[in-house]
């Protein structure tokens, strides 16, 4: 049981390049989330999904797109990377049951130059 | 939406002393309040959580208290050890379809040996 995994772990992009971050969970969770973490600002919600085939915007969605074609996977895309998107990105998942506990992936450190 | 404020932003204590971190939340409907510990370069890890029908919860050296009337909750760590040094985040849930957590901005705890 791997929990939540993310690929890649590190990435350096040039301004204007695109990339996709992959999140996978093997806990059969309905809910999945993408956060970004910047120094001194905690975790901010980018996009989320309440089930396969559904996605929605969080608090800071601009510049990002997401897809959830399979229940276990949640992809975060940057179409045209900007230096302001330099951050650590965490994926999380949670069940639809009585607990709100979120399980986090190991994170992806992205630098845009 | 929910707003969570956390303080202090940094806290330095001597080994063996107690540490207290406080958070306030805005949405009186929130009913789940987790605390996460994040070591440098690692993912956030849940250390303790409390639901609104409980005023206090303990797990060995850590405890959380909740005051629903005042809408604040606190993390208490007793007999601190150097391995307690980390960034701690509080969070509160949203009673909405997305079941998201709103995080505080974090407290960097440094335990001096």
């Amino acid at each position: 049981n791997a929990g939540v995994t993310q690929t890649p772990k590190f990435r350096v992009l040039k301004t204007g390049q695109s990339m996709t971050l992959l999140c996978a969970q093997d806990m059969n969770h309905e809910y999945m989330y993408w956060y970004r973490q910047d120094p001194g600002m905690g975790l901010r919600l980018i996009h989320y999904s309440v089930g396969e085939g559904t996605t929605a915007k969080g608090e800071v969605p601009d510049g990002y797109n997401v897809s959830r074609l399979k229940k276990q996977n949640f992809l975060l895309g940057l179409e045209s990377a900007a230096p302001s998107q330099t951050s650590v990105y965490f994926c999380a998942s949670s069940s639809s049951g009585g607990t709100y506990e979120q399980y986090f992936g190991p994170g992806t450190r992205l630098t845009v130059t | 939406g929910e707003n969570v404020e956390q303080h202090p932003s940094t806290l330095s204590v001597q080994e063996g002393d107690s540490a207290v971190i406080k958070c306030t939340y805005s949405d009186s409907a929130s009913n789940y309040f987790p605390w996460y510990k994040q070591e440098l370069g690692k993912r956030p890890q849940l250390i303790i959580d409390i639901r609104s029908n409980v005023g206090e919860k303990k797990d060995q050296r850590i405890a959380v208290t909740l005051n629903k009337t005042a809408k604040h909750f606190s993390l208490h760590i007793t007999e601190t050890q150097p391995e307690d040094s980390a960034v701690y985040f509080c969070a509160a849930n949203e009673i909405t379809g997305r079941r998201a957590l709103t995080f505080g901005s974090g407290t960097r705890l440094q335990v001096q040996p």
Side-chain angles (χ1 to χ4, degrees), chain B residues 26-46:
Chain B
S26 61
D27 188 351
S28 57
S30 294
N31 61 3
Y32 173 69
F33 306 93
W35 286 90
Y36 286 83
K37 175 183 180 182
Q38 187 178 29
E39 296 175 341
L40 189 62
K42 301 286 183 65
R43 75 188 81 188
Q45 297 273 16
L46 179 71

Side-chain angles (χ1 to χ4, degrees), chain A residues 46-93:
Chain A
I46 305 171
H47 284 282
Y48 65 98
S49 169
V50 302
E52 181 179 318
T54 72
T55 62
K57 295 179 180 180
E59 272 66 57
V60 288
D62 294 344
Y64 306 95
N65 57 74
V66 288
S67 65
R68 187 138 178 234
L69 299 179
K70 294 183 179 180
K71 185 177 183 179
Q72 63 268 34
N73 295 337
F74 195 28
L75 279 63
L76 178 71
L78 286 74
E79 290 185 347
S80 180
S84 60
Q85 294 178 303
T86 294
S87 189
V88 179
Y89 292 86
F90 287 100
C91 175
S93 70

Side-chain angles (χ1 to χ4, degrees), chain B residues 78-99:
Chain B
T78 59
E79 301 173 15
T80 53
Q81 301 167 3
E83 51 264 39
D84 293 329
S85 296
V87 178
Y88 292 81
F89 292 96
C90 64
N93 68 327
E94 299 176 9
I95 308 299
T96 64
R98 68 183 193 180
R99 297 168 61 92

Side-chain angles (χ1 to χ4, degrees), chain A residues 4 31 33 35 37 40-43 45 48 50 57-59 90 95-102 104-106 109, chain B residues 31-32 36 38 41-46 49 51 87 89 93-106:
Chain A
V4 182
Y31 296 82
Y33 308 88
Y35 294 93
Q37 184 176 34
M41 298 189 71
L43 292 146
L45 184 64
Y48 65 98
V50 302
K57 295 179 180 180
E59 272 66 57
F90 287 100
S95 74
S96 57
T99 176
Y100 285 84
E101 180 178 354
Q102 292 190 9
F104 284 85
R109 184 174 295 276
Chain B
N31 61 3
Y32 173 69
Y36 286 83
Q38 187 178 29
K42 301 286 183 65
R43 75 188 81 188
Q45 297 273 16
L46 179 71
D49 55 18
R51 291 188 175 271
V87 178
F89 292 96
N93 68 327
E94 299 176 9
I95 308 299
T96 64
R98 68 183 193 180
R99 297 168 61 92
L101 293 175
T102 299
F103 288 84
S105 55

Side-chain angles (χ1 to χ4, degrees), chain A residues 1 10 15 17 19 25 27 29-30 43-44 46 50 53 55 63 69 79-80 90 92 95 97 106 110:
Chain A
N1 192 334
F10 303 94
T15 297
Q17 288 184 322
M19 76 164 295
Q25 53 94 4
M27 296 175 282
H29 284 168
E30 291 292 335
L43 292 146
R44 293 184 293 167
I46 305 171
V50 302
T55 62
L69 299 179
E79 290 185 347
S80 180
F90 287 100
S95 74
L110 174 66

